[in-house]
Amino acid sequence: MLDSSPKGESDCYKRAKRSLGLILEKGEELKFDHVVEPEVTIVIASRNPAPFLFRCLEALCLSESVRMEVVVVVESSPRELIALLLDRLKTVVKVRCPEIVSYSDAWNQGANVARSANIIFLKDDVCVRKDAICATLNALNNDGGVGAVGAMLLDGDGVLIESGSLLNSSGICRSVGRGWNPDDYRVQYKRDVAFCSGAYLGITKETFQSIGGFDESFLDEYYEDVDLCLRLNRAGKRTVYDPCSVATRNLEYRDSWEKAAKLMAANRNRLLLIRELELASFPSQSDFELDTVHECARGQRILWVEDAPPFAHMGAGFPRTKEMLRTLIELGHSVTLLPTFITTSDFMDVYKDTPREVEVALGVGAEGFDEFWQRKWKEYDTVIISRPNNLNSIGRIIEDTKSKRPDLRLIYDAEAIFANREINEALYNGEPFSESEERQLLKAELKLAVIADVILSISEHERKQFASLGFSKVIMLRHHSTIEPAVRSFAEREGILFVGAVHSDSAPNAIGLIDFIENSLPLIRAKLGQDIKLYCAGRYHSDELMKYASDSEVFLGFVEDLSEWYEKCRVFIAPARFAAGIPLKIIEAASKGIPVVATTLARSQLGWTEEELISAHTAGAFADACVRVYSEEPLWHQLRMGALAKIRQGYSREHIVEALRCALEY
């Protein structure tokens, strides 16, 4: 006969009962691998009917291949069905106690026998999702400041119960996102929180012991997790909500809501009594805003308006955006990235390149910005706007807010002066603008930049253009690429490499690459007497360009890791003859130790010399430069070393850190 179950059995509970009955009937068991050195100990407090514990253990069995030790804390004389289930758990550690009077008591007893350095505490109604445990361990162990990691908790219908919790000075708690769709962007990023539910809470054993474990003075359940996280904070450790750690709760309240409310009130009074000092630093009840999920932000709250999340394959300055986002997070700031063009995507895709600590406001876009800002304008300390199209569409809204909030700072990240592309294209076509016409183009693009407190410029050339228009607060912020020169020698390499996305037939990369294939590559092959292969890596949306695909002109498509090609090829080319900003792919290629041949425009945009890259203006001169670098080993080594030295000098990570720090404090 099955244990008594909660009033109004859910379908999930009924299925668990049936599955458990079948296993017991057949004499089967849930098998966990016996591990000598576990990575994590799962401590489960068993206080509910057997089907809940069964479902909890079943989910752990199916979750992932992590070296796991499972500890179940159970009363010495459990109900019959619990006893039968425990008999089927040969590799599970059972901690038996006369009576479990509280979750604090049970979890502490389980932690005492844990053999691993990491512990995840679970209530027995919790079912972990696949990969949740690995995600928790990554969040727990990759940052020395993290004390505890909590999960995204869903109900049986997949509706959000909690994504971290808010706390006010009166000890009143609010779960962030209760009742929301778990795909809401506001709960899809990792962040510091006041506390996370003990229903699923990861912590290292060392940290747990150092603060004395759970306080057993809290009756039965509720607030023991709040107290633990407050003590972690006092010890200099943060509590982090991790959206990749996902679990389902099948029984949020063990008894009636009335009984739960009484317990909460009693334990809240206990918390107020012993944690008065810690609670004083939290917002008061009157200042408590449910939409404020950055409660524990350590630095500034920053809104960044950009065309799209920084997908690496897009190029167009997005690798620089990615590095800037990473730096802002490392500096301790809280960042919301609001894409104006790409507003729908899969979060797993978005966060491949965007730091998970960044809130990515998918679904808002330029059209929804006004409504978004009406709710959020008091929340942010600084707004960063990238690119002129976003400045023109959103700048006026921010200007109006600055009139009401003079303390709100606006940083314009030019990324590139787009008018330069038009200016360079006209020059390339033999119809150059006059000096006054160029100035008018620049003024038209940058007229709204006057409202910015600081402007970020990507090159010395563009910094001078800003200065010529009267902008005085301009900070240089270049791209950064990690220096990892490939080791393969000159003689071991062959072929020419091009890297870059092509978004249309008229894109600078398409026109430049077609010109190279038609007019430079035949000369190179003739002068070297070899069928030198050209390898092109990137996403290509140009039918005209793809007509040239052959065994000798190899289009690789998007390549996630270019290391193989940077090591395989002897020369890197950048043939675009008109563009704005700076050619970031040159910086990346040079940092990997492959010499570059580029157009004169690219070299002037970078401000590099012929000791760092060879440049040419005409197709014939470009071919000659490629032949020289391809065939002259001393020149090849000179360019390789010169470019690496240039990157160390002007494109360091420290440069980005210092530039952003100055911009935020200017």
Side-chain angles (χ1 to χ4, degrees):
M1 182 177 175
L2 288 176
D3 299 78
S4 60
S5 57
K7 183 180 179 181
E9 293 180 358
S10 67
D11 290 339
C12 177
Y13 183 84
K14 291 175 183 177
R15 287 194 298 271
K17 280 204 303 186
R18 287 195 295 270
S19 298
L20 176 57
L22 287 173
I23 281 184
L24 295 177
E25 218 174 280
K26 295 177 180 179
E28 296 176 355
E29 64 178 272
L30 290 174
K31 292 185 179 179
F32 292 91
D33 293 337
H34 177 73
V35 291
V36 177
E37 295 182 353
E39 297 172 74
V40 60
T41 298
I42 311 296
V43 176
I44 306 168
S46 176
R47 305 188 72 197
N48 290 302
F52 289 108
L53 177 60
F54 169 71
R55 281 296 304 274
C56 177
L57 293 167
E58 184 182 44
L60 287 171
C61 275
L62 300 173
S63 62
E64 55 219 302
S65 56
V66 59
R67 298 196 312 278
M68 180 193 309
E69 172 189 48
V70 178
V71 174
V72 176
V73 183
V74 64
E75 293 183 348
S76 301
S77 301
R79 283 165 289 185
E80 182 181 357
L81 194 57
I82 290 282
L84 289 172
L85 174 58
L86 292 174
D87 287 342
R88 300 291 192 275
L89 304 172
K90 305 301 184 187
T91 55
V92 168
V93 179
K94 294 96 169 176
V95 176
R96 300 180 186 273
C97 51
E99 181 185 8
I100 297 178
V101 296
S102 69
Y103 277 104
S104 294
D105 168 46
W107 282 327
N108 284 344
Q109 292 196 55
N112 287 338
V113 303
R115 291 185 293 127
S116 72
N118 303 293
I119 300 173
I120 295 178
F121 295 103
L122 292 182
K123 290 186 175 179
D124 57 1
D125 68 294
V126 171
C127 294
V128 302
R129 294 278 185 93
K130 183 176 174 59
D131 299 328
I133 293 173
C134 283
T136 300
L137 294 180
N138 286 335
L140 191 59
N141 294 313
N142 289 339
D143 183 339
V146 173
V149 175
M152 174 187 285
L153 297 177
L154 311 177
D155 67 17
D157 295 321
V159 176
L160 194 64
I161 295 175
E162 178 195 324
S163 60
S165 290
L166 303 175
L167 181 66
N168 69 25
S169 56
S170 301
I172 295 173
C173 309
R174 297 283 177 87
S175 297
V176 174
R178 179 176 288 273
W180 294 1
N181 183 329
D183 288 331
D184 192 301
Y185 73 83
R186 292 173 291 177
V187 299
Q188 281 293 331
Y189 71 107
K190 187 187 297 183
R191 64 181 184 276
D192 292 2
V193 293
F195 78 96
C196 286
S197 170
Y200 182 121
L201 193 66
I203 188 170
T204 68
K205 186 172 183 178
E206 180 183 8
T207 299
F208 185 72
Q209 291 176 333
S210 72
I211 62 169
F214 286 101
D215 186 338
E216 296 180 16
S217 68
F218 287 91
L219 304 172
D220 198 350
E221 60 181 320
Y222 306 122
Y223 278 94
E224 71 284 322
D225 42 15
V226 181
D227 174 75
L228 182 84
C229 294
L230 286 175
R231 285 184 285 127
L232 284 172
N233 186 62
R234 187 176 64 187
K237 296 285 189 177
R238 293 150 36 221
T239 300
V240 171
Y241 157 70
D242 176 35
C244 297
S245 303
V246 183
T248 299
R249 291 208 66 183
N250 296 304
L251 184 67
E252 191 175 0
Y253 302 110
R254 294 177 58 240
D255 296 294
S256 66
W257 165 248
E258 290 76 12
K259 183 175 179 180
K262 288 180 181 178
L263 269 174
M264 288 181 193
N267 284 343
R268 182 169 72 90
N269 288 334
R270 172 66 183 163
L271 186 79
L272 288 169
L273 181 66
I274 63 175
R275 302 287 169 235
E276 181 182 5
L277 184 62
E278 289 89 343
L279 288 170
S281 64
F282 286 87
S284 66
Q285 177 72 5
S286 60
D287 293 332
F288 199 68
E289 295 185 21
L290 288 180
D291 206 29
T292 302
V293 294
H294 302 94
E295 183 183 3
C296 294
R298 290 167 287 154
Q300 291 192 33
R301 297 171 182 170
I302 298 170
L303 174 67
W304 190 328
V305 181
E306 172 62 290
D307 283 355
F311 295 111
H313 67 266
M314 292 178 66
F318 287 107
R320 174 175 170 271
T321 300
K322 173 184 174 181
E323 199 61 44
M324 291 166 68
L325 286 170
R326 191 182 306 279
T327 300
L328 288 172
I329 294 299
E330 289 177 4
L331 288 173
H333 302 299
S334 169
V335 184
T336 299
L337 181 70
L338 193 151
T340 54
F341 285 1
I342 298 180
T343 60
T344 58
S345 188
D346 178 80
F347 282 108
M348 293 304 293
D349 188 35
V350 166
Y351 285 112
K352 283 180 182 176
D353 296 310
T354 302
R356 194 79 202 206
E357 295 82 359
V358 174
E359 178 185 38
V360 181
L362 292 180
V364 177
E367 298 80 7
F369 183 83
D370 194 35
E371 181 185 349
F372 168 90
W373 192 242
Q374 285 180 23
R375 290 186 292 108
K376 297 277 195 175
W377 67 277
K378 293 180 181 179
E379 186 173 320
Y380 294 101
D381 304 302
T382 298
V383 177
I384 300 174
I385 299 181
S386 287
R387 308 177 198 263
N389 52 291
N390 294 317
L391 182 66
N392 291 329
S393 65
I394 287 168
R396 291 296 183 198
I397 298 174
I398 304 302
E399 182 180 27
D400 179 62
T401 304
K402 282 174 70 67
S403 68
K404 296 180 288 186
R405 266 195 64 195
D407 62 314
L408 178 69
R409 295 176 53 76
L410 173 62
I411 297 172
Y412 177 49
D413 175 35
E415 194 281 315
I417 296 179
F418 285 22
N420 283 335
R421 172 176 168 174
E422 191 175 349
I423 292 167
N424 292 325
E425 186 173 8
L427 183 63
Y428 172 74
N429 292 327
E431 300 173 348
F433 292 112
S434 67
E435 187 175 332
S436 62
E437 287 172 329
E438 288 185 6
R439 191 171 182 82
Q440 284 305 116
L441 284 171
L442 293 172
K443 282 184 174 181
E445 177 177 325
L446 300 173
K447 61 184 179 182
L448 265 179
V450 297
I451 67 174
D453 297 284
V454 180
I455 293 174
L456 300 177
S457 175
I458 199 166
S459 70
E460 179 61 22
H461 172 69
E462 293 191 356
R463 188 197 67 76
K464 289 179 179 177
Q465 287 181 302
F466 279 114
S468 72
L469 295 174
F471 294 99
S472 57
K473 298 178 181 178
V474 183
I475 295 174
M476 286 275 290
L477 198 156
R478 298 189 181 99
H479 179 61
H480 162 70
S481 184
T482 304
I483 296 176
E484 295 174 331
V487 297
R488 190 175 291 185
S489 68
F490 173 87
E492 294 174 307
R493 297 167 177 258
E494 60 180 9
I496 296 172
L497 179 64
F498 170 85
V499 175
V502 174
H503 302 296
S504 68
D505 291 339
S506 60
N509 276 341
I511 293 172
L513 193 50
I514 289 171
D515 181 62
F516 175 80
I517 293 171
E518 285 190 343
N519 301 312
S520 298
L521 194 53
L523 296 175
I524 294 169
R525 288 169 175 161
K527 291 182 179 183
L528 292 174
Q530 301 175 47
D531 183 24
I532 304 295
K533 284 194 174 185
L534 171 67
Y535 299 97
C536 303
R539 296 188 190 274
Y540 298 121
H541 302 284
S542 168
D543 294 336
E544 287 300 313
L545 179 58
M546 295 309 295
K547 290 177 182 177
Y548 294 91
S550 70
D551 291 340
S552 297
E553 287 79 33
V554 183
F555 290 86
L556 303 168
F558 171 64
V559 179
E560 187 162 355
D561 185 357
L562 288 161
S563 302
E564 172 191 352
W565 298 98
Y566 287 134
E567 187 147 8
K568 174 184 175 67
C569 296
R570 190 178 290 179
V571 174
F572 184 91
I573 58 165
R577 298 189 180 278
F578 58 91
I582 63 172
L584 301 181
K585 287 300 180 183
I586 290 180
I587 299 167
E588 182 180 338
S591 72
K592 309 309 176 190
I594 178 171
V596 179
V597 177
T599 58
T600 305
L601 169 65
R603 186 167 69 81
S604 67
Q605 287 173 327
L606 288 167
W608 289 15
T609 71
E610 292 282 344
E611 292 182 356
E612 291 127 15
L613 65 79
I614 297 289
S615 66
H617 185 62
T618 66
F622 203 96
D624 288 341
C626 287
V627 168
R628 286 185 61 205
V629 179
Y630 201 91
S631 59
E632 298 176 20
E633 185 171 355
L635 175 61
W636 188 89
H637 282 291
Q638 173 194 315
L639 292 171
R640 173 181 162 99
M641 300 310 295
L644 288 170
K646 187 71 173 180
I647 291 170
R648 287 191 188 94
Q649 177 188 15
Y651 298 85
S652 68
R653 186 106 199 310
E654 291 72 22
H655 166 79
I656 292 180
V657 172
E658 188 56 31
L660 284 173
R661 184 179 283 120
C662 288
L664 291 170
E665 296 174 357
Y666 208 108

